[in-house]
Amino acid sequence: MAVTATEVAVLDATETPAASKRRFRFLRGRKTVVGLCILLFFVLIAVIGPWIAPYDPDTMSNELLQPPSGSHWFGTTQTGQDVLSQILVGTRGVLVVGFVAGIIATILSVLIGVSAGFLGGTADEVLSLLSNVFLVIPGLPLIIIIASFVSDTGDLLIAAVIALTSWAWGARVLRAQTLSLRRRDYVEAARATGEPTWRIIFFEVMPNLTAVIASGFVGTVIFAILSEITLAFIGVADISNWNWGTVLFWAQSNQALAQGAWWWFVPAGLCIALLGMSLALINFGIDEFVNPRLRTETGGSRKVRMRVGFTPVARKSTSESGFTPVARTSMSESGFTPVARTSTSEAGFTPVARTGTSKKEPRP
């Protein structure tokens, strides 16, 4: 039977809402929305932070160790520097290190992990050996050693070292997922039709690894941000470049806690916690999007809460007398008796066919 153009248009119109609903299911979860909103706020601060900072973070003043006020919203340091300006200017360095390290590590893990899992044989053994070697290299001690030989330890150098020491775990995960996908029917069909290897990897295997890659990227960003802050806090990174770890370094060096200057270190700690929470919520949203068993608000089925004393009813249709034919299981005095209700009579009663154990029949 021929299909007219009008029918094709109607089919397209009916398929479009469902397709868009599936496409944006990831953004319907509360965890994902909250995480993305917090992350976008920090990205905005990283972009415009140096422009909206009320003071130069390096400028000293006579207002020494002042609590939050109208002129200094986050208070001042022991040398009169504005804490809010240091937080705003330092946000860019934290996010640059996190995202640069995440991008580099994700690219390396995808190239090595997917190639090892799909190619197999000698290539798999060599790439797996390379992953195992980098898997045992500690990141923080290596950065400390490099910082001792390099005079200017900038954010890009720290991001590169963190990326080179954190891609191996993601490569192992992608290799395992690729091994489970390489023998699927659609991959075998593409191979049988003569598709080149690179096309099969990019158009048949990679789309099914998108969620795993995104989750690995978010995890690497979290690790890179915490590593950058840790290095700045212990004084390994360049303390002349402002970031949240540098603020904590100067607060700890000048005994801010002992002096009761809570405003010196609490804002930086809250920013670290909020940024980490936002990335963790995004990661939870990705897990719920991938695993249907974890879905709550992201398109999963609602849970049915059972109540004591009530029987679950499967409703199909309502008869003229207002009663609904149901399939119930009722309990007799001697045990449980299946009850099958089929139709409703005019008087409103339902004929019941019961089978089971009566009082006089002995139990086995």
Side-chain angles (χ1 to χ4, degrees):
M1 182 179 66
V3 180
T4 62
T6 305
E7 294 177 351
V8 172
V10 171
L11 291 175
D12 293 339
T14 56
E15 292 175 358
T16 300
S20 61
K21 185 176 181 181
R22 289 192 299 268
R23 187 181 300 112
F24 295 102
R25 180 184 294 172
F26 172 71
L27 300 177
R28 295 188 333 185
R30 293 181 180 177
K31 297 177 183 178
T32 307
V33 172
V34 173
L36 288 176
C37 290
I38 298 175
L39 180 61
L40 291 177
F41 170 76
F42 282 110
V43 170
L44 180 63
I45 294 298
V47 174
I48 66 175
W51 300 337
I52 65 175
Y55 303 94
D56 187 353
D58 296 321
T59 301
M60 302 181 184
S61 64
N62 296 327
E63 300 178 0
L64 306 180
L65 214 63
Q66 295 296 317
S69 61
S71 58
H72 300 279
W73 290 2
F74 287 179
T76 59
T77 65
Q78 193 173 11
T79 56
Q81 297 170 328
D82 185 63
V83 178
L84 176 60
S85 301
Q86 295 176 356
I87 296 294
L88 293 176
V89 174
T91 304
R92 179 179 296 180
V94 173
L95 293 183
V96 165
V97 172
F99 282 101
V100 170
I103 292 173
I104 296 175
T106 302
I107 293 175
L108 291 176
S109 62
V110 169
L111 290 177
I112 296 177
V114 176
S115 299
F118 189 82
L119 297 178
T122 305
D124 185 15
E125 295 179 358
V126 173
L127 295 177
S128 298
L129 177 62
L130 182 63
S131 301
N132 294 332
V133 171
F134 277 89
L135 194 63
V136 298
I137 296 178
L140 292 179
L142 180 61
I143 297 175
I144 294 174
I145 295 173
I146 294 176
S148 62
F149 291 98
V150 179
S151 58
D152 186 13
T153 309
D155 294 336
L156 295 179
L157 178 61
I158 293 177
V161 175
I162 293 175
L164 291 175
T165 55
S166 59
W167 62 267
W169 180 256
R172 298 280 294 179
V173 175
L174 290 174
R175 174 184 175 273
Q177 294 294 325
T178 307
L179 287 175
S180 65
L181 295 175
R182 58 180 296 188
R183 295 302 180 187
R184 297 290 177 90
D185 294 338
Y186 58 88
V187 177
E188 293 292 343
R191 188 182 288 111
T193 57
E195 295 286 345
T197 303
W198 67 268
R199 186 175 180 84
I200 296 176
I201 292 176
F202 280 98
F203 292 95
E204 302 294 342
V205 177
M206 291 287 291
N208 295 280
L209 299 175
T210 305
V212 180
I213 295 173
S215 179
F217 171 76
V218 174
T220 305
V221 171
I222 296 175
F223 173 75
I225 290 175
L226 295 179
S227 300
E228 161 72 2
I229 294 172
T230 302
L231 292 172
F233 177 71
I234 63 179
V236 174
D238 189 4
I239 58 177
S240 62
N241 296 328
W242 286 105
N243 60 57
W244 299 339
T246 308
V247 176
L248 296 177
F249 169 78
W250 288 113
Q252 188 270 340
S253 300
N254 292 279
Q255 301 294 323
L257 182 61
Q259 299 184 46
W262 56 268
W263 58 86
W264 196 345
F265 56 87
V266 168
L270 288 178
C271 290
I272 297 170
L274 287 175
L275 182 58
M277 182 185 70
S278 67
L279 294 172
L281 289 176
I282 295 173
N283 205 356
F284 293 156
I286 295 173
D287 291 339
E288 290 182 356
F289 178 74
V290 176
N291 191 355
R293 296 181 179 179
L294 300 177
R295 292 178 189 169
T296 53
E297 297 90 357
T298 55
S301 59
R302 293 180 298 176
K303 295 182 180 180
V304 178
R305 185 176 62 180
M306 304 297 296
R307 299 177 62 185
V308 178
F310 292 88
T311 305
V313 177
R315 296 187 177 182
K316 295 183 179 179
S317 61
T318 305
S319 62
E320 296 180 357
S321 58
F323 293 92
T324 303
V326 296
R328 292 190 177 182
T329 302
S330 63
M331 183 178 64
S332 64
E333 297 181 1
S334 59
F336 290 93
T337 304
V339 178
R341 297 188 176 184
T342 56
S343 62
T344 304
S345 63
E346 297 180 356
F349 296 96
T350 305
V352 179
R354 296 192 176 185
T355 59
T357 307
S358 63
K359 291 184 179 180
K360 299 180 180 180
E361 293 179 357
R363 293 186 180 181

